[in-house]
């Protein structure tokens, strides 16, 4: 099967490259820039992503130079994007200037010559909108390369190619929607690689099952199952691969939604599960903690401690399965050594440095929409697959500030009313994720002609496809849902304030991702 290796040098757009390639029916994997060359040497083609660093600070070029050397002997095609273009040019001795013609945002390039990489994408002499995001720029052209396009305003070297070596470089980002027909350029690269477009979710499942069997042999695994989409799909996949070698464990942290344990037991009735109540332990360790990163690390460490205790009880357990997906990896800064850490996910950056159990994460490089497709292919119910995401740390990251048992109970009541009312209005399936947040402030209110001083809750509802970007659920006149949604907001506000003691004000969060993240912490 044809496969593309994407080397991530820290670009926030890297996952978009992978998404588009997979949607074209070609399998790809994302690797950090410190990956061992042997791990990727058998791939059919390589894409070098963008990144924030300067090639002038890189003495040896690392994995990029090893890939270029492979191209020299095996003629394996390479596509360099932004920083990737600069790395390739630097390797061949071309000059890359710092703070030269820096460009951020949409700009125009002019197509100067034709090339296989832009076949049926853009016409010669046409001007095209693309997205640039760079401060360094290529100043001279490596020997054997041809300039295919340049910037209209700054004359940036926008596309260079070496057709004989099958090396293609763009200073702009073809993977983003702001670049017109950029996905067609990526498709052309797949044609140059001679990729067979036969990768499907079914083929991924077959490959993962084989990999899991080969990795584990007869060894036992415990699975951290929360009942959410990711861990449920991961557990179902593992169950199909290794059967009774899998031991699924659900830990009640005391930070779950109201009646979540009972709901999970009903949804996952076909998977054998051991339920453990550790709510007192988690709440005690979180007492007085307000920093969100510290919360996540405490929760991550406590999860591992409990799982290792359970593994010792079972005996001969070597692996811990987690439902980590790619958005968790990106936000935790673990996709590449150069990626900024946005927040540490309890199952990625929140894990302890030393663990007795080895991790197995079968969904690590899948996006949320792909996870749902996988779940559908495996045969899980729509109730599991299309439920809204719920964070591993639970309500700990939806209670801003310190966590108490009283605050947890308040937020559980608010959350239940919010979600159930949403379902009554037939809005639940139109929304990617909805939840309530308990804020660390109180405000004055009036109830029954008396003064109140109660908590403020924020309601959040977003639309998305993969969790990497998101928009607030539409709340404007031009929206087809506007009248229904306004009525919903008014109604849910009334139900919460009248039924949840201690809450007297509701606000609605309209911020997109970016600049915000979906969760508040």
């Amino acid at each position: 099967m044809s496969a593309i290796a994407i080397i991530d040098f820290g670009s926030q757009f890297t996952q978009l490259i992978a998404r588009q390639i997979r949607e074209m029916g070609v399998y790809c994997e994302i690797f950090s820039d410190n990956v061992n060359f042997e791990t990727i040497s058998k791939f059919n083609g390589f894409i070098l992503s963008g990144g924030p660093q300067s090639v002038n600070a890189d003495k040896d070029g690392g994995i990029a130079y090893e890939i270029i050397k492979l191209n020299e002997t095996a003629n394996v095609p390479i596509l360099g994007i932004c920083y990737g273009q600069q790395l390739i040019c630097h390797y061949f001795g071309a000059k890359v200037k710092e703070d030269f013609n820096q460009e951020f945002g949409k700009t125009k390039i002019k197509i100067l010559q034709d090339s296989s990489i832009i076949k049926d994408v853009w016409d010669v002499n046409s001007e095209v909108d693309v997205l640039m995001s760079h401060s360094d720029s290529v100043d001279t052209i490596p020997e054997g390369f041809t300039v295919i396009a340049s910037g209209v305003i700054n004359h940036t070297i926008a596309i260079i190619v070496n057709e004989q070596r099958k090396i293609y470089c763009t200073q702009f980002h073809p993977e983003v929607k702001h670049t017109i027909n950029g996905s067609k350029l990526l498709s052309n690269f797949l044609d140059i690689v001679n990729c067979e477009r036969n990768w499907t979710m079914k083929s991924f499942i077959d490959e993962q099952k084989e990999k899991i069997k080969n990795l584990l042999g007869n060894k036992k695994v415990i699975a951290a199952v929360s009942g959410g989409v990711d861990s449920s799909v991961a557990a179902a996949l593992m169950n199909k691969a290794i059967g009774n070698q899998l031991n699924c464990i659900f830990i009640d942290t005391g930070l779950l939604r109201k009646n979540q344990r009972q709901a999970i037991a009903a949804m996952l009735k076909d998977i054998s599960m051991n339920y453990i109540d550790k709510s007192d332990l988690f709440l005690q360790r979180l007492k007085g903690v307000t920093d969100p990163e510290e919360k996540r690390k405490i929760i991550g460490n406590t999860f591992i401690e409990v799982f290792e205790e359970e593994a010792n009880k079972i005996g001969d357990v070597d692996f811990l399965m987690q439902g980590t997906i790619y958005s968790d990896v990106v936000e935790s800064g673990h996709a590449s050594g150069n990626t900024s850490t946005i927040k540490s996910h309890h199952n990625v950056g929140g894990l302890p440095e030393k663990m007795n159990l080895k991790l197995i994460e079968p969904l690590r490089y899948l996006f949320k929409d792909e996870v749902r497709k996988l779940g559908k292919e495996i045969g899980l119910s729509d109730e599991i697959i299309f439920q809204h995401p719920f964070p591993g740390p639970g309500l700990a990251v939806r209670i801003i500030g310190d966590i108490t048992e009283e605050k947890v109970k308040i937020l559980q009541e608010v959350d239940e009313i919010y979600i159930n009312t949403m379902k009554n209005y037939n809005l639940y399936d139109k929304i990617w994720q909805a939840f309530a947040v308990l804020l660390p402030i109180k405000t004055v209110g009036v109830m029954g002609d008396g003064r109140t001083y109660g908590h403020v809750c924020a309601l959040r509802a977003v639309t998305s496809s993969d969790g990497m970007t998101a928009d607030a659920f539409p709340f404007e006149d031009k929206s087809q849902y506007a009248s229904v949604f306004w009525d919903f907001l008014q109604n849910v506000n009334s139900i919460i304030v009248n039924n949840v003691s201690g809450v007297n004000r509701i606000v609605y969060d309209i911020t997109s991702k970016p600049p915000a993240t979906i969760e508040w912490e």
Side-chain angles (χ1 to χ4, degrees):
M1 181 185 71
S2 303
I4 301 293
I6 302 169
I7 310 301
D8 181 15
F9 292 99
S11 171
Q12 292 295 328
F13 300 135
T14 304
Q15 73 280 358
L16 298 179
I17 305 172
R19 280 183 56 78
Q20 291 200 34
I21 289 174
R22 290 181 187 178
E23 287 169 1
M24 294 172 192
V26 175
Y27 182 67
C28 62
E29 288 188 35
I30 298 171
F31 297 93
S32 67
D33 58 346
N34 60 4
V35 63
N36 184 287
F37 177 69
E38 291 302 315
T39 303
I40 62 171
S41 61
K42 301 302 182 185
F43 278 77
N44 305 91
F46 297 91
I47 297 178
L48 310 182
S49 84
Q53 59 272 36
S54 171
V55 295
N56 296 312
D58 192 347
K59 299 296 184 185
D60 59 14
I63 191 65
Y65 285 11
E66 293 188 77
I67 291 170
I68 297 170
K69 289 173 184 174
L70 176 66
N71 165 271
E72 186 174 355
T73 58
N75 206 223
V76 178
I78 303 172
L79 173 61
I81 296 174
C82 194
Y83 177 71
Q85 168 175 287
Q86 296 165 18
L87 272 172
I88 291 170
C89 290
H90 191 260
Y91 173 87
F92 286 107
K95 188 175 182 180
V96 177
K97 282 191 175 181
E98 298 181 40
D99 301 319
F100 176 74
N101 286 354
Q102 61 181 2
E103 294 171 295
F104 301 98
K106 192 162 68 173
T107 187
K108 286 188 181 294
I109 63 171
K110 184 171 183 178
I111 307 303
L112 306 175
Q113 295 189 44
D114 205 357
S115 164
S116 58
I117 197 68
I118 61 167
K119 179 184 177 183
D120 299 326
V121 182
W122 303 306
D123 296 327
V124 175
N125 294 323
S126 64
E127 293 186 359
V128 183
D129 287 334
V130 299
L131 182 89
M132 295 277 191
S133 182
H134 66 102
S135 53
D136 292 6
S137 292
V138 175
D139 189 34
T140 60
I141 309 304
E143 186 177 348
F145 284 76
T146 303
V147 179
I148 299 301
S150 65
V152 172
I153 297 175
N154 288 339
H155 306 292
T156 306
I157 297 171
I159 305 176
I160 59 172
V161 305
N162 185 325
E163 295 283 7
Q164 184 178 0
R165 291 280 298 269
K166 296 183 181 177
I167 300 177
Y168 307 87
C169 305
T170 71
Q171 185 58 68
F172 57 89
H173 289 271
E175 68 271 25
V176 301
K177 64 182 180 181
H178 303 85
T179 296
I180 304 302
N181 288 340
S183 59
K184 176 59 179 169
L185 184 149
L186 293 177
S187 180
N188 282 348
F189 179 69
L190 300 182
D191 288 340
I192 292 166
V193 180
N194 290 321
C195 290
E196 297 176 5
R197 307 199 181 203
N198 56 3
W199 183 78
T200 63
M201 195 51 67
K202 184 180 184 306
S203 63
F204 174 81
I205 292 170
D206 293 338
E207 289 161 15
Q208 282 298 98
K209 284 165 62 178
E210 196 63 32
K211 284 183 181 179
I212 291 166
K213 289 176 184 177
N214 292 337
L215 174 65
L216 298 179
N218 295 321
K219 294 173 182 175
K220 294 178 185 176
V221 180
I222 59 171
V225 180
S226 68
V229 179
D230 305 329
S231 64
S232 297
V233 172
L237 176 60
M238 292 287 292
N239 187 52
K240 285 189 175 293
I242 60 172
N244 58 14
Q245 291 172 242
L246 182 68
N247 300 271
C248 293
I249 297 175
F250 172 87
I251 298 175
D252 186 344
T253 62
L255 300 162
L256 305 175
R257 282 179 161 148
K258 186 177 179 181
N259 299 323
Q260 189 170 357
R261 173 175 170 170
Q262 293 86 335
I264 289 165
M267 286 193 297
L268 298 177
K269 58 182 181 295
D270 295 331
I271 297 179
S272 178
M273 193 89 62
N274 184 19
Y275 294 91
I276 302 168
D277 187 350
K278 291 290 182 177
S279 53
D280 290 343
L281 176 64
F282 279 85
L283 291 173
Q284 177 60 37
R285 291 187 176 179
L286 288 167
K287 187 176 181 180
V289 178
T290 59
D291 180 75
E293 284 296 288
E294 190 178 351
K295 287 180 186 177
R296 291 175 180 274
K297 284 178 169 54
I298 288 171
I299 291 168
N301 278 276
T302 306
F303 264 123
I304 295 303
E305 181 182 313
V306 174
F307 283 126
E308 289 184 343
E309 287 176 1
E310 294 305 311
N312 289 333
K313 292 177 186 177
I314 295 167
D316 298 322
V317 175
D318 288 350
F319 287 87
L320 168 65
M321 184 221 79
Q322 293 193 140
T324 307
I325 64 172
Y326 190 63
S327 58
D328 300 335
V329 178
V330 171
E331 289 191 336
S332 297
H334 287 253
S336 164
N338 301 299
T339 305
S340 297
T341 300
I342 299 166
K343 62 174 74 166
S344 294
H345 287 258
H346 78 290
N347 55 345
V348 186
L351 294 177
E353 291 183 11
K354 292 184 178 180
M355 291 172 50
N356 296 322
L357 296 170
K358 290 176 264 188
L359 286 180
I360 182 165
E361 299 170 316
L363 312 181
R364 185 178 178 86
Y365 289 112
L366 289 186
F367 303 99
K368 179 70 78 172
D369 55 331
E370 292 176 324
V371 172
R372 288 191 163 115
K373 289 176 184 176
L374 192 155
K376 194 79 172 173
E377 188 72 35
I378 288 177
L380 291 179
S381 68
D382 286 354
E383 185 182 13
I384 297 172
I385 296 169
F386 296 108
Q387 64 179 303
H388 290 186
F390 186 72
L395 301 182
V397 291
R398 293 178 179 176
I399 297 172
I400 311 303
D402 67 312
I403 299 165
T404 66
E405 190 173 350
E406 178 192 10
K407 289 181 179 179
V408 172
K409 288 180 179 177
I410 288 173
L411 188 54
Q412 284 176 333
E413 295 297 330
V414 173
D415 176 83
E416 183 182 50
I417 291 170
Y418 185 36
I419 297 301
N420 287 343
T421 307
M422 188 171 287
K423 289 178 178 177
N424 291 339
Y425 274 73
N426 294 320
L427 289 171
Y428 185 84
D429 293 334
K430 297 179 175 70
I431 293 170
W432 161 269
Q433 186 174 2
F435 56 91
V437 180
L438 188 63
L439 304 186
I441 56 174
K442 289 186 175 183
T443 63
V444 174
V446 180
M447 293 182 181
D449 297 325
R451 179 185 184 274
T452 63
Y453 192 56
H455 290 283
V456 180
C457 277
L459 304 183
R460 183 111 162 103
V462 298
T463 58
S464 182
S465 61
D466 54 22
M468 297 306 303
T469 60
D471 292 307
F473 188 74
F475 185 36
E476 51 188 343
D477 290 339
K478 66 182 181 181
S479 166
Q480 60 179 312
Y481 308 120
S483 61
V484 173
F485 199 38
W486 175 244
D487 181 64
F488 163 77
L489 277 180
Q490 293 283 71
N491 193 17
V492 79
N493 167 76
S494 177
I495 297 172
I496 291 170
V497 171
N498 287 327
N499 289 276
V500 182
S501 177
V503 176
N504 70 355
R505 191 179 298 270
I506 301 296
V507 296
Y508 180 64
D509 179 1
I510 63 169
T511 319
S512 63
K513 176 186 178 179
T517 53
I518 295 177
E519 296 284 350
W520 279 41
E521 287 192 345

